[in-house]
C-alpha cells in the first residue's frame, strides 16, 4: 500500500501501514488474570516501582474519615524507606492522623495540603510545628488545583474497599455484603485521574471486572493487598441520627421556613445540606413541606446522608449526586439505587467548570463563627487552634442561589456571632442568610430576600443585633494572642489567598 | 464570713463550674483555674470568683475551679454556695443576682 496516494495522509496521522502482526493468546480469561495483573507483593515494591523521590508530593483521600489506617501505614513505610521532604496532599486529615507529627519532626514530611485538621496534629501545627505553612483548600479548590497542575501529585496512595487485579477500584463491592463500605470515592477519583502514579491499597481483591468502579484501571499503576485499610466503625456507622437538641431543631425548622419564604422551594428544586446537627435536620422539615405541597427535588448534592437517601427512596428526590457518603446508609444507597450517582471532586465543585455546586438552588451550611460582615469561619476555634475543615463550604456558598448559615447564637460560653471571625473561610459576599436560635439576619446585599422573609411572617433582625445579644449573654471575650509566624494559608475556591492562620501565643 | 471547712459546689457538666474552697489564714484569695475557655474568659472568671468572695466578706481562701464554659451568673452561684458550705452557714441573703 502506498500511503502517499491517500489524500491528506499527513493530517490524518501517518503511523505507517498495518504490519498484520497481532498479539493473541489462547489462554483462558481465568489463566490470563493470574498471570497479568497489577498486584505487587507489598507496598515497598509499589513505592520503588513508582519512582517516588525525596521532595515529591504524595496524596491521600479522606473517605475513611477517622477510621483511616492507610495514610499512617503508607507514611510509616515511607519513613522506614528513608524518604524526606515529602508533601502530603490529603483531601482532608482527621484526629487519627496524629502520627504525622513524628514524621514532620523527622523531616519525612515538610509540607501539608488539606481541607482540614483536627486533634493533636492540629494542636501541634497551631503551636508552630511546621516551618512551611499548611495550605488549606476547599474541596472544589483542591480539585481545581489538581486539574490545573497547581497541585501536582507524584504518587497517589488510594485506599479502596474493593479492587480487582487490574486496578478497578471502588468504595464498596457488589461481590458480597460483609466488607467495608465507604460509598463514594469522589475525592480519590480526582487524584487517580491526575496523579503521575497511582497505588491502590485494598483489603479486598475481587475478580475482574469490579463493576461498578469509582476508579478505572487505566488510572491505576499498582495494586497492593493489605490486611487492614481501616476501622469500619470509624469509617462509618449506621445512619446519621437526627439531632434531638431543641436549639438545633428550632434552627432547622426556621431554616426550612426561610428557604420556602425566599422562593427556592418549588417543584424541581436542587439542594445541599452541609454537615452538622442543625444543617442535617433541615431535611426533616423540608420533607414535610414537600409532601404537603406535592413537590419533589431534582437532585440533592454533596456529602450524602441517610435522610437524603430515604427521601430519594420515597420519591421526593429524583437523583443524588454523591461526592462523599457520610454514613453507611448512604454508602448502601449508592450500591443499590441506580439514580444515586457517584461524582468526582471536579464535577462537584471545581470553579474551572460550571460544576454541580453552580446548579444549587440552596445550601444549608454550619459555621463555627460568623461576623457582622457575614464572613464565616469553619476552620479555627475561638481559641485560635485549628479544629475544623473547609470542606465544600465556600464552593457551595458561592455556587448556590441561596446560602443559609445555621448556627446557635452561642455554643456554651463561645459566641458564634462576633465582630471579627478568627479566620475568614467563606467571604460574606457569598453568604445570604444567617439563622440562629435567637433570630434571623439577611445579608444587606440581598434586600429582596429580607422583604420576602418579612412578608412570610419571619422576624428578621440585623446581624449586629444578634452579635450584641451574644456578647450580652456570655460577655465580651478577650482577644486571642498570636505570634507573627504564619502556620496556615487558607485559599478561596479559586486558590487565591483569603486568610492566614498564625501561631497561637501562650 | 469565716470559712471553717473545705467544701465544693457545682459539677463537671457543660456550662457549669466545679468550685472547691479551702479556708486559708493568709495570702488573700488564691485561685487555681482550669477552663475550656481560658484564653477568652480566664481573666473574667477569676474576676467573678474574687468579686463574689469579697462580697461575702471572705478575705483568704484557696479556690480550685474547673470551668466548663459557665456563664458569670453560674460562677457566682457556685462560688457563693461553696463559700456558705465552707462557712457551715445557711444564713443566705436571697436576692436577684446581677
Amino acid at each position: 500500500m502506498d500511503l502517499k496516494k491517500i489524500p491528506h495522509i499527513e493530517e490524518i496521522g501517518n503511523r505507517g501501514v498495518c504490519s498484520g502482526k497481532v498479539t493473541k493468546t489462547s489462554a483462558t480469561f481465568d489463566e490470563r488474570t493470574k498471570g497479568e495483573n497489577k498486584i505487587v507483593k507489598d507496598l515497598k515494591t509499589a513505592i520503588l516501582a513508582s519512582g517516588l523521590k525525596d521532595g515529591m508530593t504524595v496524596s491521600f483521600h479522606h473517605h475513611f474519615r477517622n477510621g483511616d489506617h492507610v495514610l499512617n501505614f503508607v507514611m510509616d513505610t515511607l519513613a522506614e524507606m528513608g524518604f524526606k521532604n515529602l508533601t502530603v496532599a490529603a483531601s482532608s486529615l482527621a484526629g487519627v492522623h496524629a502520627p504525622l507529627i513524628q514524621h514532620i519532626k523527622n523531616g519525612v514530611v515538610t509540607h501539608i495540603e488539606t481541607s482540614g485538621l483536627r486533634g493533636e496534629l492540629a494542636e501541634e501545627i497551631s503551636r508552630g510545628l511546621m516551618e512551611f505553612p499548611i495550605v488549606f483548600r476547599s474541596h472544589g479548590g483542591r480539585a481545581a488545583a489538581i486539574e490545573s497542575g497547581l497541585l501536582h501529585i507524584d504518587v497517589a496512595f488510594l485506599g479502596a474497599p474493593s479492587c480487582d487485579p487490574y486496578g478497578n477500584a471502588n468504595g464498596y463491592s457488589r461481590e458480597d455484603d460483609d466488607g467495608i463500605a465507604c460509598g463514594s470515592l469522589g475525592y480519590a477519583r480526582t487524584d487517580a485521574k491526575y496523579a503521575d502514579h497511582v497505588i491502590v491499597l485494598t483489603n479486598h481483591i475481587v475478580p475482574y471486572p469490579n463493576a461498578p468502579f469509582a476508579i478505572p484501571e487505566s488510572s491505576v499503576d499498582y495494586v497492593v493487598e493489605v490486611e487492614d485499610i481501616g476501622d469500619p466503625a470509624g469509617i462509618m456507622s449506621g445512619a446519621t441520627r437526627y439531632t434531638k437538641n431543641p436549639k438545633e431543631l428550632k434552627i432547622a425548622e426556621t431554616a426550612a421556613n426561610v428557604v420556602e419564604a425566599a422562593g427556592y422551594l418549588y417543584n424541581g428544586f436542587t439542594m445541599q445540606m452541609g454537615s452538622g446537627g442543625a444543617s442535617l435536620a433541615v431535611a426533616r422539615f423540608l420533607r414535610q413541606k414537600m409532601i404537603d405541597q406535592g413537590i419533589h427535588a431534582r437532585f440533592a448534592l454533596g456529602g450524602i446522608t441517610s435522610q437524603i437517601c430515604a427521601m430519594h427512596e420515597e420519591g421526593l428526590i429524583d437523583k443524588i449526586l454523591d461526592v462523599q457518603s457520610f454514613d453507611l446508609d448512604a454508602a448502601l444507597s449508592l450500591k443499590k439505587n441506580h439514580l444515586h450517582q457517584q461524582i468526582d471532586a471536579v464535577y462537584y465543585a471545581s470553579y474551572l467548570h460550571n460544576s454541580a455546586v453552580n446548579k444549587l438552588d440552596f445550601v444549608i451550611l454550619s459555621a463555627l463563627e460568623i461576623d457582622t460582615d457575614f464572613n464565616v469561619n469553619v476552620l479555627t476555634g475561638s481559641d485560635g487552634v485549628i479544629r475544623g475543615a473547609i470542606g465544600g463550604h465556600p464552593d457551595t456558598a458561592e455556587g448556590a442561589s441561596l446560602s443559609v448559615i445555621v448556627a446557635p447564637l452561642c455554643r456554651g460560653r463561645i459566641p458564634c456571632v462576633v465582630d471579627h471571625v478568627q479566620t475568614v473561610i467563606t467571604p460574606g459576599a457569598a453568604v445570604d442568610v444567617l439563622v440562629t436560635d435567637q433570630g434571623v439576619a439577611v445579608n444587606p446585599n440581598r434586600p429582596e430576600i429580607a422583604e420576602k422573609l418579612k412578608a412570610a411572617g419571619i422576624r428578621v433582625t440585623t446581624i449586629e443585633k444578634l452579635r450584641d445579644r451574644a456578647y450580652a449573654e456570655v460577655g465580651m471575650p478577650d482577644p486571642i494572642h498570636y505570634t507573627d509566624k504564619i502556620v496556615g494559608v487558607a485559599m478561596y475556591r479559586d486558590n487565591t489567598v483569603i486568610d492566614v492562620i498564625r501561631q497561637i501565643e501562650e | 464570713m469565716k470559712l471553717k471547712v473545705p467544701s465544693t459546689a457545682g459539677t463537671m457538666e457543660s456550662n457549669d463550674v466545679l468550685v472547691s474552697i479551702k479556708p486559708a489564714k493568709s495570702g488573700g484569695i488564691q485561685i487555681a483555674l482550669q477552663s475550656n475557655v481560658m484564653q477568652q474568659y480566664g481573666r473574667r472568671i477569676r474576676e467573678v470568683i474574687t468579686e463574689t468572695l469579697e462580697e461575702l466578706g471572705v478575705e483568704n481562701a484557696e479556690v480550685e475551679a474547673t470551668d466548663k464554659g459557665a456563664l458569670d451568673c453560674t460562677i457566682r452561684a457556685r462560688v457563693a454556695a461553696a463559700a456558705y458550705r465552707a462557712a457551715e452557714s445557711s444564713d443566705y441573703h436571697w436576692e436577684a443576682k446581677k
Side-chain angles (χ1 to χ4, degrees):
Chain A
M1 187 186 297
D2 187 358
L3 292 181
K4 285 180 189 146
K5 288 186 180 157
I6 302 173
H8 303 293
I9 183 63
E10 294 306 328
E11 291 156 63
I12 290 167
N14 184 0
R15 295 192 66 229
V17 178
C18 175
S19 70
K21 283 182 198 158
V22 297
T23 313
K24 248 192 92 62
T25 174
S26 58
T28 63
F29 160 68
D30 189 47
E31 289 162 348
R32 285 198 221 184
T33 305
K34 283 171 191 146
E36 53 181 53
N37 63 55
K38 290 174 182 162
I39 301 175
V40 294
K41 73 173 164 69
D42 57 18
L43 180 60
K44 280 186 186 169
T45 309
I47 292 167
L48 289 173
S50 74
L52 184 72
K53 291 187 176 62
D54 289 353
M56 283 188 166
T57 298
V58 295
S59 89
F60 300 90
H61 69 70
H62 73 291
H63 291 286
F64 298 166
R65 280 155 282 270
N66 212 33
D68 177 51
H69 291 172
V70 169
L71 187 144
N72 291 340
F73 172 59
V74 171
M75 293 316 301
D76 288 350
T77 307
L78 292 174
E80 223 176 90
M81 293 171 75
F83 285 100
K84 296 279 179 200
N85 302 324
L86 296 172
T87 296
V88 169
S91 57
S92 204
L93 293 169
V96 72
H97 299 124
L100 270 178
I101 294 169
Q102 209 48 47
H103 298 311
I104 293 165
K105 287 182 176 165
N106 292 340
V108 176
V109 177
T110 45
H111 301 65
I112 291 181
E113 290 228 5
T114 180
S115 158
L117 276 184
R118 290 187 171 87
E120 254 182 274
L121 178 61
E123 293 274 346
E124 291 270 351
I125 284 167
S126 301
R127 288 173 169 79
L129 176 65
M130 295 184 78
E131 200 45 51
F132 197 92
I134 291 218
V135 178
F136 290 97
R137 298 189 203 273
S138 71
H139 291 326
R142 180 177 191 271
I146 292 172
E147 63 168 331
S148 66
L150 188 64
L151 170 55
H152 177 85
I153 300 168
D154 294 294
V155 184
F157 293 89
L158 305 176
S162 73
C163 187
D164 69 33
Y166 297 90
N168 296 291
N170 205 13
Y172 54 92
S173 168
R174 286 221 172 109
E175 300 296 320
D176 55 47
D177 281 321
D178 56 1
I180 289 173
C182 70
S184 177
L185 283 180
Y187 304 124
R189 292 173 75 169
T190 304
D191 294 33
K193 186 169 174 188
Y194 293 99
D196 285 351
H197 297 276
V198 175
I199 299 172
V200 169
L201 293 92
T202 186
N203 63 338
H204 193 189
I205 303 272
V206 299
Y208 174 92
N210 184 25
F213 46 83
I215 297 169
E217 60 177 271
S218 55
S219 296
V220 176
D221 299 293
Y222 309 102
V223 177
V224 179
E225 189 174 13
V226 291
E227 242 168 59
D228 176 24
I229 54 170
D231 169 16
I235 290 175
M236 50 181 43
S237 49
T240 311
R241 260 176 293 174
Y242 271 129
T243 177
K244 286 180 181 155
N245 179 332
K247 223 185 202 182
E248 290 186 334
L249 287 172
K250 178 167 191 265
I251 295 169
E253 185 175 14
T254 309
N257 291 338
V258 163
V259 168
E260 182 182 21
Y264 291 103
L265 198 68
Y266 62 96
N267 196 27
F269 74 91
T270 65
M271 65 175 174
Q272 177 166 343
M273 310 287 153
S275 59
S279 174
L280 295 173
V282 175
R284 173 196 287 194
F285 297 99
L286 289 175
R287 176 178 171 273
Q288 197 53 50
K289 288 181 192 293
M290 291 163 75
I291 293 169
D292 293 346
Q293 296 170 29
I295 60 172
H296 57 110
R298 180 60 188 156
F299 72 81
L301 175 66
I304 298 299
T305 58
S306 53
Q307 291 91 343
I308 294 294
C309 299
M311 287 168 73
H312 173 56
E313 287 170 11
E314 274 181 280
L316 292 172
I317 299 171
D318 296 352
K319 303 199 180 194
I320 296 175
L321 299 176
D322 185 347
V323 71
Q324 178 183 11
S325 315
F326 275 162
D327 54 38
L328 192 59
D329 282 10
L332 296 178
S333 165
L334 178 64
K335 184 170 171 174
K336 73 178 177 200
N337 293 319
H338 70 285
L339 296 179
H340 183 157
Q341 169 75 41
Q342 178 167 187
I343 59 170
D344 65 38
V346 168
Y347 187 105
Y348 170 51
S350 170
Y351 79 98
L352 296 170
H353 309 272
N354 194 6
S355 52
V357 293
N358 287 2
K359 300 169 182 93
L360 283 171
D361 277 313
F362 64 88
V363 62
I364 313 288
L365 293 165
S366 305
L368 289 172
E369 298 176 311
I370 180 167
D371 67 25
T372 46
D373 292 324
F374 286 84
N375 296 313
V376 175
N377 168 25
V378 288
L379 191 59
T380 44
S382 59
D383 54 359
V385 177
I386 303 161
R387 51 158 290 189
I390 301 178
H393 203 285
D395 304 305
T396 53
E398 181 177 334
S401 306
L402 178 74
S403 60
V404 179
I405 303 294
V406 288
L409 196 67
C410 305
R411 284 188 179 88
R413 196 172 185 163
I414 304 296
C416 298
V417 187
V418 296
D419 281 321
H420 299 286
V421 291
Q422 299 291 335
T423 313
V424 179
I425 294 300
T426 296
V431 172
D432 300 314
V433 182
L434 166 66
V435 176
T436 74
D437 51 318
Q438 299 192 37
V440 174
V442 179
N443 192 324
N445 294 345
R446 301 291 298 268
E448 82 285 4
I449 293 176
E451 286 314 309
K452 284 178 182 168
L453 300 194
K454 285 176 195 160
I458 295 171
R459 279 170 50 199
V460 177
T461 181
T462 64
I463 197 159
E464 289 79 10
K465 281 189 181 149
L466 290 175
R467 171 206 56 195
D468 293 345
R469 198 167 172 150
Y471 286 153
E473 198 174 290
V474 297
M476 210 47 187
D478 288 336
I480 304 298
H481 296 287
Y482 296 98
T483 72
D484 289 337
K485 179 174 174 173
I486 292 174
V487 299
V489 180
M491 303 291 180
Y492 189 57
R493 60 185 303 228
D494 61 359
N495 293 310
T496 55
V497 175
I498 189 160
D499 210 344
V500 295
I501 300 158
R502 288 177 200 278
Q503 179 183 5
I504 51 170
E505 190 173 10
E506 286 162 309
Chain B
M1 179 179 277
K2 183 165 168 40
L3 306 186
K4 298 174 185 166
V5 294
S7 74
T8 62
T11 71
M12 299 279 278
E13 298 290 316
S14 294
N15 295 5
D16 202 348
V17 57
L18 182 66
V19 178
S20 307
I21 295 186
K22 276 191 210 158
K25 291 211 160 65
S26 60
I29 291 165
Q30 305 281 331
I31 302 170
L33 174 66
Q34 284 188 320
S35 172
N36 57 356
V37 289
M38 188 69 98
Q39 304 267 354
Q40 308 93 315
Y41 293 103
R43 186 187 54 79
R44 177 63 189 153
I45 294 167
R46 287 171 187 279
E47 210 171 84
V48 173
I49 292 173
T50 308
E51 266 174 28
T52 307
L53 289 174
E54 282 173 358
E55 281 166 23
L56 292 169
V58 175
E59 285 169 6
N60 299 303
E62 285 177 30
V63 181
E64 254 185 64
T66 308
D67 169 63
K68 299 285 178 185
L71 300 181
D72 286 359
C73 52
T74 311
I75 298 167
R76 279 199 191 92
R78 295 307 193 191
V79 170
Y84 273 92
R85 286 172 188 165
E88 295 182 314
S89 162
S90 57
D91 182 23
Y92 306 125
H93 297 276
W94 297 107
E95 57 175 333
K97 284 286 178 191
K98 50 184 172 173

